[in-house]
C-alpha cells in the first residue's frame, strides 16, 4: 500500500482566486495512480490550498475555542465553514479520480481523528482499512479537528499521514510538492538532496534553521521534514514534484527523481 | 440532548427534479431548533430525498459488492457517487443552519459507521460526543456504508438514530415526516395514533401489514416503527409533521401534536 500526499501548492494557488483548483494537474496525478492500481493499493491525502486556509485564518481556528459565548460561537461557525471548504476541494478530487475510473472514496478527517494540541491523539482507522480491503482508494484531507486541549484545531494532511503510517505500515509514502524535493538550503539556491537517511534529518533541520516558527497554518518544509522523520521509522518516504509528469510514477516504481528518505 | 431526524420527504421531493431542496422548510426547522439551543443540545440526522436515492438505485448499492472485477468497480464508483450526492444535501443543510447562527457540523456517516447486512455493527461516537460537549450540533445523514457481510450497503438515517440512542441516551428523539404522525391504517384513512406505548407497537405493525417487503431503499413506515420500538427502550420518541410550523417545537416542549411513543 502506498500513501500519496497531494500538497496544497500542487493543486491550488493559495495566492490566487478563492477555491482555485488545477484540474489538469490532478487529472494527470490520477492517471499516474491508475497506471499502478489495482495491483497496488493507495490512500490519497490532500492539503487545503486556497480552500481551507482562508477560513482557518479568518476565524482563528488554531487559537482554539474561547470561553466567552459569542466569540466561541463565531469560532464554531468558522470551524464548520473551514470543513465545508475542504469538502468542496475534496469533491473536486473525487470527481477527477472517478472520471479516470478510480474508486476514490471520501473519508472526512474530522469525523475520524481527534487531536491534542494539533497532534493526532486518537483516530479510528477501521473504515479506512476495510475500504482498502475492498479495493477502494480512501481519500482524506487536511481538516479541522476536535482537540482535547484547545477544543478545536487544524489537522494537517502531513500529520494524518504520520498517524496512518504508524497504524497501517505502507510500503511507501510519496509527498507531491511544487518543487523537486528537499533542498539543502532554499529551493533554487541550495542543492537538491536526492538521498537522505532518517539519521541525517536532524542535521538538515538544523542547517535549514527550522527552530524559527513558520507562518503557514499547516507548516512548511520544516514541519514536513519533522513528520518525515517519524514516517521514515515505518516506511520509505519520497518527496517529488507533483507538477512534473512522471515524477509520481518514478517514486512509485522506486527509480524516480526527487528526495528519497530511507530508515 | 435531543435527536432530530429530518426525513427525506420533508426537505426534498423524490419524484421532483434531481437534488431539489426545500430551503424554506429547512430554514423554519433550523429556526425552531434555534429557539431551544443552546439550553438544549441537538444531533440532527437527515435522509436522502432526491439526492442519494437515485444513485443508490441506479448502481444497485444494496446488492453489495459482486465478485467480477468490472461489475464490482462500477458499483464502487456508484458507492462513491451516492456518498457525494449525500454530501451535497448535507452542505445545503449546513448552510441554512449556519445562516441561523447554529454551529451544525457535518459528520460523514460512512466515515464512522460499519454495518452488517444493513444494521450498524460498529460505530465510533467519540467525535460526536465531543462535538456535543463543545456545543456543536453534529449533523449526520443517511449514507452508504462498508458492510461486513455484503461489502457495501445503504445505512438509513433511522438506523443511525437507533444506534446513537443506544450509545448516547438522548432525552427525546423527534422524527419529522410529511404526515402528522403514525396512522392506524393508511395516512388520511386510518386515524392518527397520538399516544403509543412500546408494547403496543407489535400490534400496530401487524395491523399495518408490515410483514410484506417495502420498496423504499431506506424503508417506509414499517421500518420506522420497527426502529422506533428499539429506540423507545432508551428514549421518548415523537413522530410529527416537519412541514407544519410549530410541530417540532411542540414535540421538543412535550405538548405537541403528532405521535408520542413512551417506553
Amino acid at each position: 500500500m502506498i500513501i500519496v500526499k497531494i500538497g496544497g501548492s500542487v493543486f491550488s494557488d493559495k495566492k490566487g482566486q478563492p477555491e482555485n483548483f488545477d484540474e489538469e494537474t490532478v487529472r494527470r496525478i490520477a492517471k499516474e495512480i491508475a497506471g499502478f492500481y489495482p495491483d497496488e493499493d493507495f490512500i490519497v491525502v490532500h492539503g487545503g490550498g486556497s480552500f481551507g486556509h482562508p477560513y482557518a485564518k479568518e476565524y482563528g481556528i488554531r487559537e482554539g475555542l474561547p470561553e466567552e459565548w459569542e466569540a466561541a460561537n463565531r469560532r464554531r461557525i468558522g470551524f464548520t465553514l473551514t470543513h465545508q471548504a475542504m469538502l468542496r476541494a475534496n469533491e473536486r478530487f473525487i470527481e477527477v479520480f472517478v472520471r479516470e475510473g478510480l474508486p476514490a472514496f471520501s473519508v472526512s478527517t474530522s469525523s475520524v481523528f481527534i487531536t491534542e494540541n494539533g497532534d493526532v491523539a486518537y483516530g479510528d482507522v477501521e473504515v479506512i482499512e476495510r475500504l482498502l480491503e475492498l479495493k477502494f482508494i480512501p481519500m482524506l484531507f487536511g481538516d479541522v479537528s476536535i482537540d482535547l486541549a484547545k477544543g478545536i484545531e487544524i489537522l494537517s494532511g502531513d500529520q494524518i499521514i504520520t498517524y496512518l503510517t504508524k497504524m497501517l505500515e505502507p510500503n511507501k509514502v510519496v509527498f507531491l510538492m511544487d518543487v523537486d524535493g528537499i533542498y539543502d538550503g532554499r529551493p533554487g539556491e541550495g542543492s537538491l538532496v536526492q538521498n537522505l537517511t532518517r539519521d541525517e534529518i536532524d542535521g538538515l533541520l538544523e542547517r535549514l534553521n527550522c527552530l524559527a516558527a513558520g507562518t503557514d497554518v499547516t507548516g512548511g518544509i520544516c514541519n514536513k521534514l519533522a513528520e518525515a522523520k517519524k514516517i521514515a521509522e515505518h516506511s520509505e518516504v519520497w518527496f517529488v514534484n507533483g507538477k512534473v509528469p512522471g515524477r509520481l510514477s518514478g517514486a512509485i516504481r522506486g527509480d524516480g527523481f526527487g528526495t528519497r528518505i530511507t530508515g
Side-chain angles (χ1 to χ4, degrees), chain A residues 35-46:
Chain A
F36 297 91
Y37 171 90
D39 291 338
E40 188 63 75
D41 293 321
F42 290 91
I43 295 177
V44 174
V45 181
H46 64 80

Side-chain angles (χ1 to χ4, degrees), chain A residues 48-62:
Chain A
S50 58
F51 290 81
H53 289 295
Y55 291 96
K57 206 175 154 190
E58 180 186 346
Y59 287 91
I61 303 301
R62 302 218 73 165

Side-chain angles (χ1 to χ4, degrees), chain A residues 201-215 220-226 229:
Chain A
I201 292 179
D202 280 337
L204 184 56
L205 281 169
E206 211 168 290
R207 288 199 297 285
L208 292 176
N209 240 327
C210 280
L211 301 175
T215 50
I221 202 69
C222 296
N223 276 356
K224 262 188 210 321
L225 265 180
K229 193 183 157 192

Side-chain angles (χ1 to χ4, degrees), chain A residues 5-14 17-29 44-53 85-93 96-97 139-142 157 176-178 241-243:
Chain A
K5 162 74 192 291
I6 307 176
S9 59
V10 172
F11 71 90
S12 184
D13 178 2
K14 230 193 280 189
Q17 291 286 315
E19 313 205 352
N20 69 80
F21 184 81
D22 181 353
E23 191 167 313
E24 204 176 314
T25 293
V26 174
R27 187 176 314 124
R28 205 246 316 131
I29 290 168
V44 174
V45 181
H46 64 80
S50 58
F51 290 81
H53 289 295
M86 286 311 302
L87 281 176
R88 286 193 292 277
N90 188 245
E91 183 176 30
R92 304 293 301 272
F93 276 97
V96 173
F97 272 63
M139 194 179 258
L140 294 93
F141 45 89
L176 300 180
M177 321 163 76
D178 64 346
N241 197 328
K243 292 282 199 188

Side-chain angles (χ1 to χ4, degrees), chain A residues 84-221:
Chain A
Q84 293 302 126
M86 286 311 302
L87 281 176
R88 286 193 292 277
N90 188 245
E91 183 176 30
R92 304 293 301 272
F93 276 97
I94 296 282
E95 278 169 8
V96 173
F97 272 63
V98 161
R99 233 178 290 135
E100 297 303 324
L102 295 171
F105 186 75
S106 171
V107 175
S108 264
T109 302
S110 51
S111 296
V112 174
F113 293 97
I114 292 173
T115 56
E116 184 162 2
N117 287 316
D119 288 323
V120 176
Y122 172 80
D124 182 11
V125 296
E126 187 79 19
V127 166
I128 297 168
E129 280 185 299
R130 296 201 180 265
L131 283 168
L132 286 170
E133 278 170 26
L134 298 172
K135 296 304 259 182
F136 283 97
I137 298 177
M139 194 179 258
L140 294 93
F141 45 89
D143 197 2
V144 294
S145 65
I146 293 295
D147 191 275
L148 299 177
K150 299 161 69 180
I152 59 174
E153 246 292 7
I154 296 290
L155 176 56
S156 73
D158 292 351
Q159 275 164 306
I160 299 165
I161 289 176
T162 304
Y163 187 82
L164 290 179
T165 302
K166 231 183 299 179
M167 302 300 283
L168 305 176
E169 302 255 327
N171 305 112
K172 202 173 282 188
V173 176
V174 184
F175 288 91
L176 300 180
M177 321 163 76
D178 64 346
V179 293
D180 285 344
I182 306 288
Y183 287 83
D184 200 341
R186 292 180 186 222
E189 289 183 16
S191 57
L192 183 73
V193 181
Q194 292 202 266
N195 281 292
L196 194 64
T197 64
R198 203 177 157 261
D199 295 338
E200 293 165 346
I201 292 179
D202 280 337
L204 184 56
L205 281 169
E206 211 168 290
R207 288 199 297 285
L208 292 176
N209 240 327
C210 280
L211 301 175
T215 50
D216 185 330
V217 287
T218 58
I221 202 69

